[in-house]
Amino acid sequence: MRHDELYFKKAAPEISDAAYDALKREERALEKILSPGVSSADQAAAGSGLGDDRTGAFPTREHREPMLSLEKAYTEAELRAFLTGVQRVLGRDDGVWVVEPKFDGLAISVTYEGGRLVHAVTRGDGQRGDDVTANVLTIDSVPRALPAGCPDVVEIRGEVYMDYAEFARINAERDEAGEEPFAHPRNLAAGTLKQKDPGEVAQRKLSAVFYGLGAWQGSPPVPETQQALHGLIRAWGLPGIVRTVVAANAEDVWAAVEGFGRERAALPFPTDGVVVKIDSRIAQLRLGASDEAPRWAVAYKYPPQRVTTRLTAITLQVGRSGVVTPVAELEPVAIGGTSISRATLHNADEIARRDLRIGDVVYVEKAGEIIPAITGVDLSRRAPDSVAFTFPKNCPSCETTLVRADGEAAERCPNGRCPAQVRRRIEHFASSSGVGINGLGPVLIGKLVNAGKVADVADLYRLKRADGVSANVLAEIERSRRAELGRFIFGLGLPGIGSKGAAELATRYGSLSALAQSEGLDAESRALIAELVALGVDPQLAAGRATGPLFGKTVVLTGTLPKWTRAEATRRIVAAGGRVAGDVSRKTDLVVAGAGAGAKRAEASSLGVEVIDEAELARRLEERD
Ligand code: IVH
């Protein structure tokens, strides 16, 4: 189903987790009815069971032991039925259970061979996953090696996730840059881990936690209980689960589930439930597993936090590029400890699809517990005289007729001089992601734009005290004339140029006056830049920003290196400021070739890219920059 693809591969679901789970349950029930003879293995292969997170962007690797999912329970009754069933198989009623938080991230399997981390692989389809070793190595808490006395081979299972503080930091940055916030830390964690460039991954702080085992070869023997496993994971220096509750019977399990439920909102990391596991490994082995999930564990998912409130209005927000976003204005309502009075509605189609009407009583859910979303309408409470919402035809700021490009969902205001757009552009330029002008906030910007004093960034450099701007702010604006060039270019918000693109333009052109000559820019952008140059604005290329002997270098590894695993070499290159790419292209600076190197080495020679061996790489890594 389409939502599987969005959930697993693109890490960008369009529906809430609860809605997704409900759809999955319905799909499975239907499958049972429609094809009773089909084994669940076939169903899993058909994509209905475990899903598949592989993106096609990474080499894949087979797990030594399959990575299973968990049975889910959504109600107290379902959970108790599971516990009773297990006790029946075990033939006693005093089994020991371990209750743990269910981290909401992306499942990962990390393999240590001879105590050294050799692979980190996502679940994939349960059999084979994406090899994301270089990316996982950017997570500081994941040790490269285990202490002496660990087994010869061990697959440790866990979760890569993003804590709320980092999620909030990234969204605050996006907000300042006028970009849509990410909806959920899980999607952001998954999207980050699936970046091709480990350097990109390292810029966002991912976390990891480990709680399970796959393969285990050699001594010591496998820990006898889940509790002992948690202890061992932590003793090996891996991040483990700190808080678990041991329960002796169903009553205690339920009390623990409720206890975690109360604590959940205060935890610094995202959880979507608890996992209840039988403690004894012998009992686990006796119970075994189905094709999809072990029979000795269950995930209890907390019901979504959902409230109802009234939709009082739908307003439009105009972004700096003219994109118009409808916003639901709500009667304030408390959900999960915060009060909510607005929710984004994404675009006109979404309003039409849901037939949202002003005055409706709507359901508001905290999607993934973070950003409120309207998930439905209580039709039984709809006023008989309510009318369908007609999306405005004109910009709320400048009245220009809105346009919609073919194939696009968004309506846009095409008037580049639209005051709302101008305000947004200046806010972006002055924000800390742009040049950072202290004291030039939305209120002052609004006044200056409305008074006709500022219609673009260049006008900032014409402002005087007489325009109602304080000496301090004028001094700040003066200072920004020599701001860092990359930030300045980013701040201009040129079409299609994000922070990375801006940094690249800065290094390529070195100055605003050189950039003004660029043929690649549209006429309007060129004119604005030329005007800034004429006003004496001269942002500077940052000096000494390069760090590490391989700063800015793209390196490709090929063949087997004598000393380092690929993961180790990658880690060192990234630490030296370089990035590791998979394929050789004109953009490659260096190819490091080991034994058995073939096509990539040949490609490098034909493109004139330098090829070196491990010893030479080691020497260059030592160089001072
Ligand atoms: S045990 C053999 N414990 O939830 C089953 N899983 O929805 C091993 N998860 O696949 C899983 N926290 O990715 C386990 N404390 C925890 C967990 C946990 C999060 C994830 C894991 C699993 C998924 C099932």
Side-chain angles (χ1 to χ4, degrees):
M1 99 177 147
R2 195 172 78 89
H3 292 294
D4 283 328
E5 173 93 7
L6 288 168
Y7 188 95
F8 285 107
K9 298 221 164 115
K10 306 219 170 104
E14 285 174 2
I15 54 176
S16 75
D17 288 3
Y20 176 79
D21 281 343
L23 270 180
K24 288 304 289 180
R25 269 182 289 169
E26 195 178 306
E27 191 187 35
R28 265 186 230 200
L30 266 178
E31 256 156 16
K32 272 194 197 148
I33 298 165
L34 296 176
S35 47
V38 180
S39 80
S40 51
D42 291 345
Q43 286 180 13
S48 67
L50 286 172
D52 187 347
D53 68 45
R54 287 174 296 180
T55 56
F58 293 88
T60 62
R61 176 169 291 277
E62 185 158 8
H63 300 297
R64 289 175 193 248
E65 289 286 332
M67 268 182 102
L68 301 181
S69 185
L70 287 172
E71 254 338 297
K72 310 273 185 318
Y74 295 90
T75 60
E76 180 180 352
E78 281 174 19
L79 177 64
R80 284 182 186 270
F82 172 85
L83 301 176
T84 315
V86 169
Q87 298 289 19
R88 197 176 310 124
V89 176
L90 292 178
R92 1 171 234 146
D93 57 9
D94 61 348
V96 174
W97 299 94
V98 179
V99 186
E100 310 170 355
K102 181 172 183 308
F103 285 74
D104 201 4
L106 184 76
I108 194 85
S109 178
V110 175
T111 309
Y112 289 86
E113 284 177 18
R116 284 162 64 96
L117 189 157
V118 286
H119 315 294
V121 182
T122 68
R123 187 201 335 260
D125 66 353
Q127 306 293 329
R128 292 186 82 85
D130 278 346
D131 186 332
V132 290
T133 311
N135 290 351
V136 168
L137 284 171
T138 66
I139 306 175
D140 289 341
S141 62
V142 177
R144 273 84 186 135
L146 298 183
C150 60
D152 302 336
V153 176
V154 60
E155 278 179 336
I156 307 175
R157 286 350 182 356
E159 202 87 356
V160 169
Y161 65 94
M162 185 176 282
D163 65 28
Y164 286 133
E166 176 67 355
F167 181 68
R169 183 191 70 79
I170 292 169
N171 268 349
E173 240 178 55
R174 284 178 77 83
D175 192 38
E176 281 206 339
E179 292 161 343
E180 276 263 316
F182 291 108
H184 194 288
R186 182 211 321 108
N187 304 330
L188 184 51
T192 304
L193 192 70
K194 297 274 177 158
Q195 294 283 322
K196 280 288 277 172
D197 177 356
E200 290 277 304
V201 182
Q203 298 195 1
R204 293 179 185 158
K205 188 176 148 279
L206 288 175
S207 303
V209 64
F210 294 92
Y211 44 65
L213 282 182
W216 177 295
Q217 288 169 21
S219 57
V222 181
E224 284 176 10
T225 60
Q226 179 68 19
Q227 294 183 69
L229 174 62
H230 284 312
L232 187 64
I233 284 172
R234 296 218 300 275
W236 280 347
L238 288 149
I241 297 191
V242 180
R243 175 136 164 64
T244 62
V245 173
V246 179
N249 52 47
E251 285 320 305
D252 291 356
V253 168
W254 184 246
V257 170
E258 288 190 312
F260 272 115
R262 283 190 295 273
E263 286 170 25
R264 194 159 73 105
L267 293 174
F269 49 81
T271 59
D272 59 342
V274 289
V275 184
V276 183
K277 303 174 179 176
I278 199 105
D279 193 32
S280 145
R281 178 161 168 85
I282 293 179
Q284 292 176 2
L285 292 173
R286 275 184 58 201
L287 288 155
S290 73
D291 293 326
E292 288 182 16
R295 295 198 181 85
W296 46 266
V298 67
Y300 173 82
K301 295 256 227 165
Y302 291 104
Q305 293 170 297
R306 191 171 87 159
V307 294
T308 53
T309 188
R310 198 168 296 277
L311 176 66
T312 53
I314 295 176
T315 53
L316 300 188
Q317 249 179 18
V318 186
R320 65 183 149 92
S321 63
V323 169
V324 169
T325 312
V327 177
E329 307 288 341
L330 305 166
E331 254 168 34
V333 61
I335 181 168
T338 48
S339 172
I340 278 157
S341 55
R342 310 184 88 195
T344 170
L345 292 169
H346 304 292
N347 54 50
D349 289 349
E350 173 151 328
I351 300 175
R353 187 170 58 79
R354 293 165 178 268
D355 185 22
L356 284 181
R357 301 179 180 196
I358 292 165
D360 273 349
V361 172
V362 292
Y363 298 112
V364 179
E365 256 180 51
K366 272 203 158 184
E369 333 302 338
I370 305 289
I371 291 178
I374 292 185
T375 53
V377 177
D378 183 348
L379 290 176
S380 71
R381 292 165 76 183
R382 171 168 282 175
D385 57 352
S386 82
V387 287
F389 179 73
T390 33
F391 203 88
K393 301 252 172 305
N394 301 87
C395 171
S397 173
C398 68
E399 306 270 295
T400 305
T401 309
L402 299 177
V403 293
R404 187 165 172 167
D406 275 350
E408 270 184 25
E411 304 276 345
R412 284 187 56 242
C413 165
N415 171 17
R417 303 195 167 277
C418 164
Q421 289 183 46
V422 172
R423 280 199 302 271
R424 284 300 175 93
R425 266 181 242 138
I426 306 290
E427 280 171 26
H428 172 66
F429 179 74
S431 77
S432 58
S433 337
V435 296
I437 303 177
N438 287 327
L440 188 60
V443 175
L444 180 55
I445 292 171
K447 277 191 198 149
L448 292 168
V449 173
N450 291 346
K453 308 274 183 210
V454 172
D456 60 23
V457 168
D459 286 341
L460 292 178
Y461 298 98
R462 299 191 176 97
L463 288 172
K464 299 180 287 296
R465 285 298 306 274
D467 297 320
V469 184
S470 73
N472 280 347
V473 172
L474 285 178
E476 278 281 312
I477 294 175
E478 271 309 294
R479 199 189 45 78
S480 75
R481 286 174 181 268
R482 297 179 66 80
E484 197 274 310
L485 182 60
R487 279 171 173 268
F488 195 100
I489 297 173
F490 178 57
L492 291 178
L494 307 177
I497 306 292
S499 57
K500 242 179 116 179
E504 273 171 27
L505 286 178
T507 3
R508 178 145 19 116
Y509 289 94
S511 72
L512 217 50
S513 48
L515 180 63
Q517 313 297 320
S518 163
E519 295 291 320
L521 292 178
D522 61 290
E524 222 171 297
S525 305
R526 270 230 303 264
L528 173 65
I529 295 172
E531 203 181 336
L532 285 162
V533 173
L535 284 161
V537 177
D538 187 16
Q540 302 293 302
L541 195 58
R545 256 181 109 204
T547 48
L550 292 184
F551 179 80
K553 296 266 187 285
T554 300
V555 184
V556 171
L557 298 169
T558 179
T560 312
L561 303 180
K563 279 206 316 260
W564 293 330
T565 61
R566 221 163 244 233
E568 185 67 21
T570 300
R571 191 187 62 75
R572 287 170 187 258
I573 291 165
V574 171
R579 62 184 286 271
V580 175
D583 296 314
V584 178
S585 74
R586 279 178 209 290
K587 292 196 186 135
T588 312
D589 294 297
L590 212 52
V591 169
V592 183
K600 288 187 189 174
R601 168 182 235 143
E603 181 73 18
S605 315
S606 77
L607 289 172
V609 174
E610 188 181 9
V611 180
I612 60 171
D613 63 6
E614 186 193 68
E616 175 61 16
L617 173 66
R619 203 189 58 69
R620 293 194 189 186
L621 289 170
E622 296 297 307
E623 272 174 17
R624 302 240 144 257
D625 50 316

